Amino acid sequence: MSVKLLDNKAFYGYRVRRTVAGKLYQEYFSLKTGGSRLEGKKKKDIEKEALARDVVLEAQQNRYLDETKEDRCFKSDGTVRGISYLLKTEKSGNLTPIFQVGVASKVENKTVCTSFSLNAHGSDDAWNRAVEAYAKHKTIRKNTKLYQRLLKAMPNVS
Protein backbone atom coordinates (compact mmCIF):
# COMPACT_ATOMS: atom_id res chain seq x y z
CA MET A 1 0.00 0.00 0.00
CA SER A 2 1.29 3.42 -0.83
CA VAL A 3 -0.95 5.56 1.36
CA LYS A 4 0.87 7.21 4.24
CA LEU A 5 -0.38 9.47 7.01
CA LEU A 6 1.89 12.49 7.30
CA ASP A 7 1.81 14.53 10.47
CA ASN A 8 4.44 17.27 10.64
CA LYS A 9 4.70 21.07 10.77
CA ALA A 10 4.30 21.38 7.01
CA PHE A 11 1.40 19.00 6.38
CA TYR A 12 -1.22 16.88 8.11
CA GLY A 13 -2.98 14.37 5.89
CA TYR A 14 -2.53 11.42 3.58
CA ARG A 15 -0.01 11.08 0.77
CA VAL A 16 -0.68 8.63 -2.05
CA ARG A 17 2.43 7.73 -4.04
CA ARG A 18 2.94 5.19 -6.83
CA THR A 19 4.99 4.93 -10.00
CA VAL A 20 3.05 3.95 -13.10
CA ALA A 21 4.86 3.42 -16.42
CA GLY A 22 7.90 5.32 -15.14
CA LYS A 23 5.86 8.34 -14.00
CA LEU A 24 5.62 9.17 -10.30
CA TYR A 25 2.16 10.02 -9.03
CA GLN A 26 2.21 11.77 -5.68
CA GLU A 27 -1.01 13.26 -4.37
CA TYR A 28 -1.92 14.80 -1.04
CA PHE A 29 -5.20 14.68 0.86
CA SER A 30 -5.29 17.25 3.66
CA LEU A 31 -6.84 16.50 7.04
CA LYS A 32 -7.00 20.19 7.93
CA THR A 33 -9.62 22.76 7.11
CA GLY A 34 -9.52 26.36 8.22
CA GLY A 35 -6.38 25.68 10.26
CA SER A 36 -7.97 22.97 12.43
CA ARG A 37 -7.65 19.21 12.22
CA LEU A 38 -10.54 17.13 10.95
CA GLU A 39 -11.99 14.50 13.24
CA GLY A 40 -14.51 11.67 13.07
CA LYS A 41 -16.50 11.11 9.89
CA LYS A 42 -14.80 13.89 7.91
CA LYS A 43 -11.39 12.39 8.65
CA LYS A 44 -12.62 8.91 7.65
CA ASP A 45 -14.06 10.29 4.39
CA ILE A 46 -10.68 11.81 3.43
CA GLU A 47 -8.97 8.51 4.28
CA LYS A 48 -11.43 6.61 2.06
CA GLU A 49 -10.79 9.10 -0.76
CA ALA A 50 -7.02 8.57 -0.48
CA LEU A 51 -7.41 4.78 -0.39
CA ALA A 52 -9.73 4.87 -3.41
CA ARG A 53 -7.16 6.88 -5.38
CA ASP A 54 -4.48 4.36 -4.43
CA VAL A 55 -6.67 1.51 -5.73
CA VAL A 56 -7.02 3.30 -9.10
CA LEU A 57 -3.26 3.90 -9.34
CA GLU A 58 -2.52 0.31 -8.29
CA ALA A 59 -4.79 -1.02 -11.05
CA GLN A 60 -3.00 1.17 -13.62
CA GLN A 61 0.37 0.02 -12.26
CA ASN A 62 -0.58 -3.67 -12.43
CA ARG A 63 -2.01 -3.31 -15.95
CA TYR A 64 1.23 -1.67 -17.12
CA LEU A 65 3.35 -4.36 -15.45
CA ASP A 66 1.30 -7.13 -17.08
CA GLU A 67 1.49 -5.49 -20.51
CA THR A 68 5.27 -5.03 -20.32
CA LYS A 69 6.19 -8.25 -18.50
CA GLU A 70 7.82 -9.83 -21.54
CA ASP A 71 9.86 -6.72 -22.40
CA ARG A 72 11.09 -6.40 -18.82
CA CYS A 73 12.35 -10.02 -18.76
CA PHE A 74 15.02 -9.47 -21.41
CA LYS A 75 18.02 -7.19 -21.81
CA SER A 76 18.65 -5.49 -25.16
CA ASP A 77 21.14 -8.23 -26.10
CA GLY A 78 18.47 -10.94 -25.68
CA THR A 79 19.76 -12.36 -22.38
CA VAL A 80 17.45 -12.80 -19.41
CA ARG A 81 17.40 -9.92 -16.93
CA GLY A 82 17.92 -11.55 -13.54
CA ILE A 83 19.84 -14.69 -14.58
CA SER A 84 23.62 -14.39 -14.84
CA TYR A 85 26.34 -16.80 -15.88
CA LEU A 86 29.22 -16.52 -13.40
CA LEU A 87 32.38 -18.28 -12.36
CA LYS A 88 32.15 -18.65 -8.60
CA THR A 89 35.36 -19.01 -6.61
CA GLU A 90 35.05 -21.81 -4.06
CA LYS A 91 36.87 -21.82 -0.72
CA SER A 92 39.34 -24.26 -2.26
CA GLY A 93 40.13 -21.71 -4.96
CA ASN A 94 38.46 -23.72 -7.73
CA LEU A 95 36.23 -21.85 -10.19
CA THR A 96 32.72 -23.27 -10.52
CA PRO A 97 30.44 -22.14 -13.38
CA ILE A 98 26.93 -21.26 -12.18
CA PHE A 99 23.71 -19.67 -13.31
CA GLN A 100 22.73 -17.17 -10.62
CA VAL A 101 19.13 -16.04 -10.30
CA GLY A 102 18.58 -12.73 -8.54
CA VAL A 103 15.06 -11.30 -8.78
CA ALA A 104 12.49 -9.26 -6.91
CA SER A 105 10.04 -12.03 -6.04
CA LYS A 106 6.34 -11.36 -6.52
CA VAL A 107 5.66 -14.53 -4.50
CA GLU A 108 7.74 -13.68 -1.41
CA ASN A 109 7.75 -9.84 -1.73
CA LYS A 110 11.52 -9.69 -1.34
CA THR A 111 14.66 -10.12 -3.41
CA VAL A 112 15.52 -13.77 -3.92
CA CYS A 113 18.96 -15.03 -4.95
CA THR A 114 19.81 -18.63 -5.79
CA SER A 115 22.29 -20.40 -8.04
CA PHE A 116 22.61 -23.63 -10.01
CA SER A 117 25.96 -25.28 -10.65
CA LEU A 118 26.78 -26.37 -14.18
CA ASN A 119 29.18 -28.96 -12.71
CA ALA A 120 26.42 -30.52 -10.60
CA HIS A 121 23.55 -30.37 -13.11
CA GLY A 122 25.09 -29.91 -16.55
CA SER A 123 24.55 -26.69 -18.47
CA ASP A 124 21.10 -27.51 -19.91
CA ASP A 125 19.61 -28.76 -16.63
CA ALA A 126 21.15 -25.90 -14.63
CA TRP A 127 19.64 -23.41 -17.11
CA ASN A 128 16.23 -25.12 -16.93
CA ARG A 129 16.33 -24.99 -13.13
CA ALA A 130 17.35 -21.31 -13.20
CA VAL A 131 14.49 -20.46 -15.58
CA GLU A 132 12.07 -22.45 -13.44
CA ALA A 133 13.12 -20.53 -10.31
CA TYR A 134 12.96 -17.22 -12.21
CA ALA A 135 9.48 -18.00 -13.58
CA LYS A 136 8.20 -19.04 -10.16
CA HIS A 137 9.22 -15.75 -8.57
CA LYS A 138 8.06 -13.65 -11.55
CA THR A 139 4.75 -15.58 -11.74
CA ILE A 140 5.30 -16.79 -15.30
CA ARG A 141 3.41 -19.99 -16.09
CA LYS A 142 5.26 -22.86 -17.78
CA ASN A 143 2.71 -23.23 -20.57
CA THR A 144 3.29 -19.71 -21.93
CA LYS A 145 5.25 -18.48 -24.93
CA LEU A 146 7.26 -16.26 -22.57
CA TYR A 147 8.46 -19.31 -20.59
CA GLN A 148 9.52 -21.03 -23.82
CA ARG A 149 11.34 -17.86 -24.90
CA LEU A 150 13.15 -17.78 -21.54
CA LEU A 151 14.30 -21.39 -22.01
CA LYS A 152 15.70 -20.56 -25.46
CA ALA A 153 17.65 -17.53 -24.14
CA MET A 154 20.40 -19.61 -22.56
CA PRO A 155 23.74 -17.82 -22.93
CA ASN A 156 26.69 -19.46 -24.65
CA VAL A 157 28.70 -21.05 -21.82
CA SER A 158 31.35 -23.01 -23.71
Side-chain angles (χ1 to χ4, degrees), residues 41-54:
K41 184 179 177 344
K42 289 182 180 180
K43 182 179 178 181
K44 274 288 186 201
D45 289 345
I46 298 292
E47 180 183 16
K48 286 179 186 175
E49 191 180 335
L51 291 170
R53 179 60 179 149
D54 184 54

Side-chain angles (χ1 to χ4, degrees), residues 14 33 50 59 65 82 91 94 114 122 132 137 149 157-158:
Y14 292 100
T33 185
L65 292 174
K91 290 179 183 173
N94 293 340
T114 188
E132 187 175 331
H137 290 290
R149 194 171 157 210
V157 295
S158 45

Side-chain angles (χ1 to χ4, degrees), residues 17-25 57 61:
R17 181 165 55 182
R18 280 194 187 266
T19 301
V20 179
K23 181 180 177 194
L24 177 65
Y25 291 85
L57 290 173
Q61 186 181 49

Side-chain angles (χ1 to χ4, degrees), residues 87-103:
L87 292 173
K88 178 181 174 186
T89 305
E90 302 291 343
K91 290 179 183 173
S92 65
N94 293 340
L95 293 177
T96 302
I98 62 168
F99 287 121
Q100 181 174 297
V101 179
V103 294

Side-chain angles (χ1 to χ4, degrees), residues 84 86 88 98-102 113-117 121 126 129-130:
S84 302
L86 303 170
K88 178 181 174 186
I98 62 168
F99 287 121
Q100 181 174 297
V101 179
C113 190
T114 188
S115 62
F116 300 92
S117 167
H121 304 291
R129 289 171 186 243

Side-chain angles (χ1 to χ4, degrees), residues 28-87:
Y28 294 88
F29 297 82
S30 179
L31 289 173
K32 277 187 169 180
T33 185
S36 60
R37 292 176 174 230
L38 296 176
E39 297 293 329
K41 184 179 177 344
K42 289 182 180 180
K43 182 179 178 181
K44 274 288 186 201
D45 289 345
I46 298 292
E47 180 183 16
K48 286 179 186 175
E49 191 180 335
L51 291 170
R53 179 60 179 149
D54 184 54
V55 166
V56 169
L57 290 173
E58 182 181 29
Q60 290 175 358
Q61 186 181 49
N62 288 336
R63 187 170 43 254
Y64 172 77
L65 292 174
D66 285 344
E67 289 170 358
T68 61
K69 181 184 264 187
E70 190 162 341
D71 296 335
R72 290 180 295 109
C73 287
F74 296 95
K75 297 178 192 171
S76 59
D77 65 0
T79 59
V80 178
R81 187 182 313 265
I83 304 179
S84 302
Y85 172 72
L86 303 170
L87 292 173

